[in-house]
Amino acid sequence: MILYYWVALVMVFTLAASEAGSEGTPQDDRKIAFLFMSRGPMPLEDIWREFFRWKADEKHYNIHIHVHKGYKIPSSSFFHGKEIPVMEGGGHNEIGGGVLWGNMGQVLAIKRLVRHALKDPLAHWFTMMSEACIPLTNFRTMRNSLLGFDKSIVNACDMGAGEMETHSRWRPGLDEVGFQKKWWRKSGTWFALLRDHAVMFVEEKKFEHGWDKVPCCDEHYLPSILAYHGQDNRTTCTDGFCHVHWPSLVAMHPHTYGGDEITPELFQHLAQPEGSSKGFAKQCS
């Protein structure tokens, strides 16, 4: 698969730097599925190797990665052997295995990742990120915070037509399949889903064809499907799973952090909750 998106952006988990939440019980064997969408090499894999090496029990997580068709992860890579079958689950608009950024092919590729991770009945949270993400805290803090939270970290709440770009991005194909504007939502591409929401996401087939011509549908499909299922109150409404810095309201791409910007002060800033964050986002920014 070939996936075009904001690969140059160094996105980071919005998680606090200090340990938070309870340690859980020895009997708590719920897992977190770490799902990566990558065009190929994982340039930050050394950081992830340390993240999973330090105070992370292998029985508490799974790692799955989706790379473009034809790319082989080197045997020396930390991510070797964690690839999912490229065409698992199929896709009606994936011609020749190509996935373009922002179209329905990307959504279907993400669905394949989540569907593959659902095979493990112990997987409780499903976290989606790119090859340009890095964690801001250790595994134990992240796991404890997620397991102590009861909402999927994706915004399926009605924010108003203007903010959700309803008028500019709505396409007739949605009307044709019976999808209503009252369910239209907008959120970030990267997310953390509770298991029942992950199931709703991958099992939805009724409306798929209607999204083919929707621009940037990766920002709309998932939260809209959850809204269709009446799950607004079980998702976040303002918080996100990953930090993204938009330089302006009309910017086409997020800010790319350069080497001179990667300082202790930046990470301290990212570790602070924003606004009226609650629950997971208050503990893990």
Side-chain angles (χ1 to χ4, degrees), residues 33-199:
F34 289 83
L35 313 176
F36 293 90
M37 289 291 292
S38 174
R39 293 186 297 181
M42 298 290 287
L44 301 171
E45 72 168 80
D46 286 347
I47 297 175
W48 285 108
R49 181 186 293 108
E50 290 304 303
F51 174 78
F52 288 109
R53 182 190 66 83
W54 195 69
K55 293 189 176 181
D57 192 326
E58 290 186 7
K59 70 181 181 181
H60 289 155
Y61 67 85
N62 293 322
I63 302 171
H64 308 286
I65 180 171
H66 186 297
V67 295
H68 70 68
K69 184 178 181 180
Y71 179 76
K72 302 294 184 182
I73 296 180
S75 59
S76 59
S77 170
F78 170 76
F79 290 94
H80 178 71
K82 299 175 177 63
E83 312 94 312
I84 69 167
V86 174
M87 292 305 294
E88 181 172 300
H92 64 269
N93 62 355
E94 298 181 43
I95 302 173
V99 177
L100 296 177
W101 167 82
N103 77 354
M104 196 57 187
Q106 179 177 351
V107 174
L108 294 175
I110 293 174
K111 276 193 173 188
R112 282 200 303 277
L113 260 175
V114 177
R115 183 181 296 110
H116 186 80
L118 278 166
K119 292 180 179 180
D120 187 340
L122 295 179
H124 185 74
W125 277 94
F126 301 79
T127 62
M128 172 62 57
M129 63 214 81
S130 78
E131 73 251 43
C133 290
I134 61 171
L136 286 181
T137 187
N138 61 59
F139 173 85
R140 184 178 296 174
T141 297
M142 180 180 180
R143 179 174 183 270
N144 290 340
S145 297
L146 281 175
L147 295 186
F149 197 48
D150 59 357
K151 292 186 177 183
S152 288
I153 307 172
V154 57
N155 302 330
C157 307
D158 189 342
M159 300 180 291
E163 190 171 357
M164 296 189 300
E165 301 188 68
T166 308
H167 301 305
S168 61
R169 293 183 176 180
W170 184 272
R171 292 297 184 268
L174 294 171
D175 296 309
E176 293 169 5
V177 296
F179 195 82
Q180 300 179 30
K181 286 187 178 179
K182 67 179 181 180
W183 301 320
W184 173 269
R185 299 291 187 269
K186 181 180 179 181
S187 187
T189 302
W190 318 121
F191 56 75
L193 293 180
L194 290 162
R195 186 176 182 91
D196 60 333
H197 289 164
V199 172

Side-chain angles (χ1 to χ4, degrees), residues 183-246:
W183 301 320
W184 173 269
R185 299 291 187 269
K186 181 180 179 181
S187 187
T189 302
W190 318 121
F191 56 75
L193 293 180
L194 290 162
R195 186 176 182 91
D196 60 333
H197 289 164
V199 172
M200 292 177 191
F201 174 49
V202 302
E203 290 188 348
E204 198 290 306
K205 296 289 192 296
K206 178 181 178 181
F207 302 119
E208 276 188 357
H209 284 278
W211 289 84
D212 283 345
K213 299 186 182 301
V214 175
C216 302
C217 62
D218 59 303
E219 298 178 358
H220 299 281
Y221 179 85
L222 170 59
S224 298
I225 294 305
L226 293 181
Y228 162 74
H229 283 285
Q231 298 298 302
D232 299 46
N233 65 343
R234 294 190 60 229
T235 73
T236 53
C237 293
T238 58
D239 299 313
F241 182 56
C242 290
H243 162 79
V244 184
H245 173 54
W246 292 95

Side-chain angles (χ1 to χ4, degrees), residues 23-42:
E23 292 298 317
T25 64
Q27 293 75 31
D28 190 346
D29 53 0
R30 291 175 293 174
K31 295 181 180 180
I32 298 173
F34 289 83
L35 313 176
F36 293 90
M37 289 291 292
S38 174
R39 293 186 297 181
M42 298 290 287

